[in-house]
Amino acid sequence: MSDDSVRTALRSSARLVIVEAPAGCGKTFQGAAYARETAEELPTGRPLVLTHTHAACSVFSSGTKGCSRRVEIRTIDSVIGSIATAYHAGLGLPADVATWIRSREDGYAEVATKVARIVERYPMIASSLARRYPVVICDEHQDSSADQHAIVMSLLAQGARVRIFADPMQRIFRDKGAGSIVRPWDWEALKSQAHSFEELDVPHRWSKGCSELGAWTLMARASLKAGGKINLQAPRPPSVVVLEAENLAQRSLDYRLSGVPRKGVDSFEKSESSILILTRHNKTARSLRSFFYRRILLWEGHTRSALEQLVDAINCGVGKPGELAAAVTSFLAEVGKGFSPSGFGNVFEQEAQDGCRKARKGKAATIQDLARLLVMEPNHRGVAKLLRRLSELRTTDGAFSEIHIDCHKEFWEAIRLGQFDTADTGLAEITHHRSYSHPEPPPRAISTVHKAKGLECGAVIVMPCDGKTFPDKPDARCLLYVALSRATSRLLMVVSRTNPSPLFTIL
């Protein structure tokens, strides 16, 4: 199959077109080009591009520049949330669906189940959506839950032309829809339903980087997909570097190297002006921030779980300075380091609880001044003022100089809450702005593999590549492939011999 055959299939009259699209093989280019052309041709309505990440929204936004007002680009969660808001009474939900979602452990999955049920029961809802969006382009559909898939299929049933791009080897988000109205959908079964099935297989991502790396990445994908291993003993292109190193950290998910391996990683990192350092776990990403002496920023992506938890705690703690102080301490532990209980947190919380009545000196007096901001305004505005003051102290007071902020955007968004009437209003406005501003990572960034989905970079380091990070499980195979396929020119894998990943042949 070829790019031309995919292009022809997309523009055909076929109702359902399925395209298997490995990373870097032109899926976004094909989807964006089809969206642009369709936007010009549709007599009514406009095409809808459904993604699973805000990073992907950014990429499609760039690909449809010049006609963005005629193409709607949304995450599937946001579309489902909009439907739920419109029909909240019938779904048994409050009018503020976003806040309800945030209050639930699997809020998005629960709402998707409710929306799938109401769409199934009342086809007129899907019919109305299909008239508004006569063409639906689904990006990274392998990450759709059973309920999300059912909602897309309801649009197909009501007359929309549906174009699905997916890659089973990039399924890295688990289906949380425990209450799903349908069984998890099957890729092979979906292919059999398609009026047209095509595959993309030209590694365009590497055309301006390293074509040999692109070919190697597709071979690695084939091995992982077949249940095999990536053979690191076999000849590799010079752009694929393998470094053997053992993690010396004592705490779980931390990372530390020394000696020759450390110099090898540093040499690779310092030679690149644009680089992504990828790992599996959030805690390891935070550890790597320290590993690289905080020279490299964390890519925070779109999700702000610590900020959402802070807002929930503020809502519960209004008028209670002690509870607000505890919430601030927890927030600072999530977005940085140094505001430890022994060094700051315990005294800070006690002062807020006691009302800052005792006379203090030195560092204790400064901590008391912070707590007093909560005593004077025990709400989101007091929290915002406290965080802003703490930011100033980090640069002006030596006693606070060891406090470091890793998640800068999340920290400053917490400060911005003070500009709004309520914490919930502030969170909603900040989230809305972030969704439509399409933020991109800095040129040099540390990220989890999940947050790097949809991104690419000239140079990539994947670390650690050990048995704990990448065991022989389906989700680990997909995560490893997604990580490897982000690099366009150079790739470094830091592998372990004492705890090797079973997905590599290294001996």
Side-chain angles (χ1 to χ4, degrees):
M1 296 184 182
S2 68
D3 291 346
D4 287 341
S5 66
V6 170
R7 185 182 186 282
T8 300
L10 292 175
R11 288 155 181 79
S12 71
S13 60
R15 293 274 310 289
L16 176 61
V17 177
I18 308 292
V19 180
E20 184 164 333
C25 289
K27 171 261 297 176
T28 303
F29 176 83
Q30 292 271 8
Y34 177 60
R36 289 196 308 270
E37 293 180 23
T38 305
E40 297 288 348
E41 298 169 355
L42 286 174
T44 60
R46 53 182 172 171
L48 171 65
V49 178
L50 291 176
T51 75
H52 286 269
T53 67
H54 290 272
C57 283
S58 298
V59 176
F60 268 93
S61 180
S62 297
T64 56
K65 191 174 293 183
C67 62
S68 57
R69 293 186 178 181
R70 298 189 299 276
V71 178
E72 187 149 345
I73 303 170
R74 304 271 300 275
T75 65
I76 192 166
D77 278 336
S78 74
V79 170
I80 290 172
S82 296
I83 299 171
T85 299
Y87 297 95
H88 69 91
L91 294 173
L93 294 172
D96 187 354
V97 174
T99 299
W100 185 90
I101 289 173
R102 200 175 66 249
S103 70
R104 315 283 289 189
E105 183 178 357
D106 294 328
Y108 283 110
E110 290 185 53
V111 167
T113 297
K114 290 177 180 291
V115 170
R117 285 183 175 139
I118 198 171
V119 168
E120 179 187 48
R121 185 174 181 182
Y122 300 104
M124 60 186 180
I125 297 175
S127 177
S128 175
L129 288 169
R131 288 194 300 272
R132 184 176 183 181
Y133 306 116
V135 172
V136 180
I137 302 166
C138 299
D139 177 55
E140 304 285 10
H141 192 69
Q142 74 279 346
D143 290 327
S144 290
S145 69
D147 290 316
Q148 290 171 337
H149 176 70
I151 292 167
V152 170
M153 291 297 102
S154 72
L155 298 179
L156 175 70
Q158 294 302 317
R161 280 182 286 161
V162 175
R163 303 301 188 248
I164 289 178
F165 293 89
D167 179 8
M169 282 306 298
Q170 293 189 72
R171 183 177 172 84
I172 63 173
F173 296 99
R174 294 181 179 178
D175 185 351
K176 295 183 179 180
S180 172
I181 64 170
V182 293
R183 294 179 180 177
W185 64 278
D186 178 76
W187 174 240
E188 295 301 322
L190 180 62
K191 284 165 57 177
S192 68
Q193 297 175 34
H195 304 117
S196 178
F197 172 74
E198 295 284 335
E199 293 180 90
L200 290 168
D201 55 11
V202 178
H204 294 287
R205 174 172 291 169
W206 297 269
S207 61
K208 294 183 180 179
C210 178
S211 58
E212 290 180 330
L213 174 58
W216 182 88
T217 302
L218 287 182
M219 286 192 296
R221 176 185 184 272
S223 295
L224 291 170
K225 185 178 181 181
K229 302 181 179 184
I230 299 174
N231 187 356
L232 299 183
Q233 288 183 312
R236 304 185 305 272
S239 54
V240 179
V241 181
V242 177
L243 177 65
E244 294 180 6
E246 305 305 328
N247 184 9
L248 304 179
Q250 298 299 310
R251 292 187 298 181
S252 176
L253 299 181
D254 276 7
Y255 198 74
R256 185 166 66 88
L257 298 178
S258 64
V260 174
R262 168 82 210 210
K263 291 180 180 178
V265 173
D266 285 342
S267 176
F268 187 98
E269 174 260 317
K270 290 177 180 178
S271 69
E272 300 294 337
S273 59
S274 178
I275 192 167
L276 265 177
I277 298 159
L278 300 180
T279 193
R280 179 167 186 171
H281 301 286
N282 282 311
K283 187 174 180 180
T284 308
R286 291 275 300 278
S287 178
L288 290 176
R289 172 100 163 107
S290 298
F291 180 95
F292 290 104
Y293 307 109
R294 290 190 158 74
R295 295 192 311 266
I296 305 176
L297 296 175
L298 283 177
W299 167 232
E300 299 171 56
H302 179 82
T303 304
R304 300 286 191 267
S305 56
L307 180 63
E308 292 176 356
Q309 291 168 11
L310 176 64
V311 168
D312 290 340
I314 289 172
N315 289 337
C316 295
V318 171
K320 304 171 184 176
E323 291 187 16
L324 293 177
V328 168
T329 301
S330 297
F331 174 74
L332 290 172
E334 289 296 319
V335 301
K337 64 177 296 185
F339 198 86
S340 63
S342 59
F344 297 91
N346 291 339
V347 174
F348 169 65
E349 292 178 32
Q350 192 63 52
E351 288 288 348
Q353 184 68 40
D354 295 343
C356 303
R357 294 189 180 93
K358 294 183 179 180
R360 303 293 184 188
K361 294 182 179 180
K363 176 182 174 182
T366 307
I367 294 174
Q368 185 185 69
D369 287 342
L370 290 174
R372 188 172 286 112
L373 294 171
L374 294 182
V375 173
M376 294 174 64
E377 285 188 279
N379 54 34
H380 67 291
R381 290 196 171 96
V383 170
K385 290 177 180 178
L386 183 160
L387 293 175
R388 184 179 292 278
R389 177 58 181 152
L390 182 63
S391 178
E392 295 169 354
L393 290 170
R394 290 175 53 241
T395 59
T396 61
D397 190 326
F400 290 76
S401 62
E402 293 304 310
I403 297 174
H404 299 286
I405 303 301
D406 294 324
C407 303
H408 290 273
K409 292 183 183 298
E410 194 159 17
F411 179 81
W412 283 100
E413 285 177 356
I415 292 175
R416 283 188 60 203
L417 292 174
Q419 302 172 10
F420 300 91
D421 291 337
T422 68
D424 280 334
T425 300
L427 181 62
E429 289 294 326
I430 290 167
T431 302
H432 177 81
H433 174 76
R434 192 189 318 126
S435 298
Y436 287 91
S437 63
H438 304 308
E440 295 183 357
R444 295 164 56 79
I446 299 167
S447 175
T448 62
V449 180
H450 286 87
K451 289 182 178 179
K453 183 79 175 291
L455 300 177
E456 62 181 63
C457 192
V460 168
I461 300 176
V462 184
M463 60 191 293
C465 295
D466 56 23
K468 185 174 184 178
T469 306
F470 296 112
D472 191 0
K473 295 181 178 180
D475 63 330
R477 287 178 173 272
C478 293
L479 278 166
L480 178 58
Y481 168 62
V482 169
L484 301 181
S485 58
R486 299 308 97 192
T488 61
S489 296
R490 296 184 72 204
L491 171 68
L492 170 64
M493 293 174 285
V494 183
V495 303
S496 168
R497 279 191 177 272
T498 61
N499 181 26
S501 168
L503 302 183
F504 293 111
T505 299
I506 60 175
L507 299 176

